[in-house]
Amino acid sequence: MAGIVPSRRVRGTPFLALVEAAGAKAFTVYNRMLLASYYESYEADYKHLKEHVQIWDVAVQRQISIKGPDALRLMRQISPRDMDRMAEDQCYYMPVCDHNGGMLNDPVAIKIAEDHYWLSIADGDLLQWVLGLAVGQGFDVEIDEPDVSPLAVQGPKADELMARVFGDIVRDIKFFRYKQLPFMDTKFVIARSGWSKQGGFEIYVEGGHYGLPLGNILLERGRDLNVRIGCPNLIERIEGGLLSYGSDIRRDNSPVEAGLSRFCNSPAEYIGKKEIERQKLNGPNRQIRPLEIDGADDLPHNESGWDLTAGSRKVGLIASSAWSPDFETNVAIGMVDKSHWHPGTRLEVHNKHGICGATVRESFWI
Ligand code: THG
């Protein structure tokens, strides 16, 4: 496939020079911005991520800043998670839903101050939803997309690399908590989070001009750790059950269907609560499931979702799949009807190569 031309509309990122120099082989577009898909190959990137440390340009995870006296009021309205329990230094993974419980996004919320939150968004125009709610109700908040670009440091050697650049204090950051740590003449929010199960951090780089100096110092200090520029890895994130909004889950899914009920515990009257509580009580009609697809490393790339059938009946869809070198099977994430979601159920998968078998699994691989 041909490349993608950056423009004001399809934006590059502050780290683009590093990404290009490292030899990104393909890009996807996410929040109208470029995101690398792989460097050497999905498999080679995966092996390196599980053994060493990688620096990811995830500037596409744009921040929506909600600031002002009504910030908490607005957060309570859009968050199925209990905002009143959120600690000062905490991050919350949370679904954001419409009035029917349909998922609009699944951001990570970061509490910057009592009257200031960032929503670190997945692919979608969440700013317009939040702005509409604020303007429509006359809330006293400012909503914008600040010049903040997350850079993820992921892999088993992430603690060591980050300690060399920001000091041993990074080792004290707990999962989904953050510290503000100095860099040059500024400081960054640094959280223990990221879209992999290999451990690591996300640095919220405030000010685009810090992007290259930061990237370069991480590369330099990590040379003997075999650091590389990388990106979220398709295989590893399927093994870990990390969902991709727009692919695995969409507005026609509730957070209960997405398997995210544990993040819907707010006592407040948040938007979508009625349907979400109903589904929590009665169970959903379909839900995200890990599946193993038969065969060897010969599946086509999953471009648009593959139907799952049981005989002549359609019972689900697989939106993400890949060959896993570590588990020596085709790992997949599907949305499967209740009638066929039990572990061990055999189903058929339809892709452009034809039809093959698949088995519903009990749990994700990592
Ligand atoms: N980091 C940041 N922003 C993001 C993402 C990210 N925005 C978009 C997208 N990724 C949101 N999706 C996820 C999905 C899963 C997780 C984080 C973001 C995740 N989940 C943990 C898990 O499943 O083990 C648990 C999270 C929790 O306990 O709250 O990490 O990656 N900044």
Side-chain angles (χ1 to χ4, degrees):
M1 211 189 278
I4 300 170
V5 180
S7 65
R8 283 189 85 193
R9 198 171 48 68
V10 180
R11 304 165 288 180
T13 79
F15 316 109
L16 189 59
L18 296 172
V19 167
E20 287 180 323
K25 290 225 177 76
F27 288 94
T28 183
V29 175
Y30 190 110
N31 285 324
R32 288 161 280 113
M33 213 176 220
L34 296 173
L35 171 62
S37 286
Y38 68 92
Y39 285 81
E40 201 178 330
S41 66
Y42 285 120
E43 287 80 3
D45 292 4
Y46 161 96
K47 289 194 171 126
H48 180 270
L49 170 65
K50 288 189 169 190
E51 204 178 323
H52 303 289
V53 53
Q54 296 185 350
I55 297 165
W56 298 355
D57 172 3
V58 283
V60 299
Q61 295 167 181
R62 301 314 291 165
Q63 307 306 300
I64 300 173
S65 169
I66 302 176
K67 190 174 184 345
D70 286 331
L72 178 58
R73 206 170 149 206
L74 185 53
M75 288 298 291
R76 277 194 197 115
Q77 221 172 45
I78 63 167
S79 172
R81 283 188 80 169
D82 186 354
M83 294 309 299
D84 291 278
R85 287 181 194 224
M86 193 174 193
E88 265 173 37
D89 64 341
Q90 201 164 11
C91 311
Y92 266 2
Y93 176 45
M94 64 180 215
V96 174
C97 301
D98 68 17
H99 56 304
N100 296 316
M103 283 183 67
L104 297 173
N105 208 290
D106 65 338
V108 174
I110 301 115
K111 185 171 180 174
I112 300 296
E114 288 299 329
D115 66 346
H116 190 192
Y117 296 84
W118 285 345
L119 292 176
S120 181
I121 62 170
D123 190 24
D125 294 316
L126 194 65
L127 186 145
Q128 300 185 2
W129 170 250
V130 177
L131 186 63
L133 287 170
V135 172
Q137 300 174 102
F139 280 11
D140 188 1
V141 283
E142 257 183 62
I143 290 164
D144 52 33
E145 185 187 300
D147 177 12
V148 174
S149 297
L151 190 68
V153 180
Q154 300 286 299
K157 300 177 186 170
D159 275 64
E160 176 60 25
L161 175 56
M162 287 293 284
R164 290 182 190 183
V165 176
F166 292 99
D168 275 323
I169 190 150
V170 298
R171 299 183 196 275
D172 300 337
I173 302 174
K174 296 196 173 73
F175 187 61
F176 270 62
R177 299 285 173 136
Y178 74 81
K179 290 187 192 295
Q180 302 227 27
L181 298 176
F183 180 78
M184 292 167 68
D185 60 347
T186 189
K187 59 186 175 99
F188 298 137
V189 168
I190 299 181
R192 192 179 286 276
S193 56
W195 215 52
S196 88
K197 294 276 182 181
Q198 304 308 310
F201 301 86
E202 290 180 299
I203 308 165
Y204 292 83
V205 180
E206 196 162 0
H209 60 286
Y210 293 112
L212 293 183
L214 175 62
N216 282 321
I217 204 162
L218 285 163
L219 287 176
E220 200 180 292
R221 303 262 169 97
R223 204 167 289 149
D224 63 310
L225 301 175
N226 200 6
V227 66
R228 270 193 208 169
I229 300 283
C231 58
N233 183 272
L234 176 69
I235 312 167
E236 198 270 351
R237 73 98 181 159
I238 296 174
E239 289 177 352
L242 293 170
L243 305 179
S244 175
Y245 183 77
S247 289
D248 303 309
I249 46 173
R250 293 183 167 188
R251 190 178 159 207
D252 56 0
N253 301 119
S254 73
V256 183
E257 291 178 349
L260 302 176
S261 305
R262 66 188 183 283
F263 301 124
C264 304
N265 61 350
S266 172
E269 286 306 311
Y270 66 86
I271 297 167
K273 183 172 191 174
K274 199 170 159 207
E275 179 59 18
I276 292 170
E277 287 295 328
R278 193 191 70 75
Q279 289 191 21
K280 276 172 67 179
L281 200 68
N282 302 336
N285 292 325
R286 53 186 179 173
Q287 200 169 46
I288 284 290
R289 283 290 181 274
L291 294 108
E292 218 169 85
I293 304 176
D294 296 353
D297 183 9
D298 55 5
L299 288 179
H301 179 72
N302 195 333
E303 291 172 359
S304 54
W306 299 338
D307 281 351
L308 275 168
T309 59
S312 57
R313 197 168 138 205
K314 187 184 170 195
V315 297
L317 187 88
I318 287 182
S320 304
S321 50
W323 172 256
S324 161
D326 283 357
F327 296 96
E328 296 182 320
T329 186
N330 291 300
V331 294
I333 300 176
M335 184 63 75
V336 186
D337 288 354
K338 186 179 182 172
S339 54
H340 290 80
W341 72 22
H342 291 291
T345 306
R346 290 285 295 165
L347 300 170
E348 302 97 44
V349 181
H350 299 249
N351 63 42
K352 66 184 177 193
H353 286 181
I355 303 176
C356 60
T359 310
V360 178
R361 273 178 59 98
E362 174 89 47
S363 55
F364 285 97
W365 290 262
I366 51 178

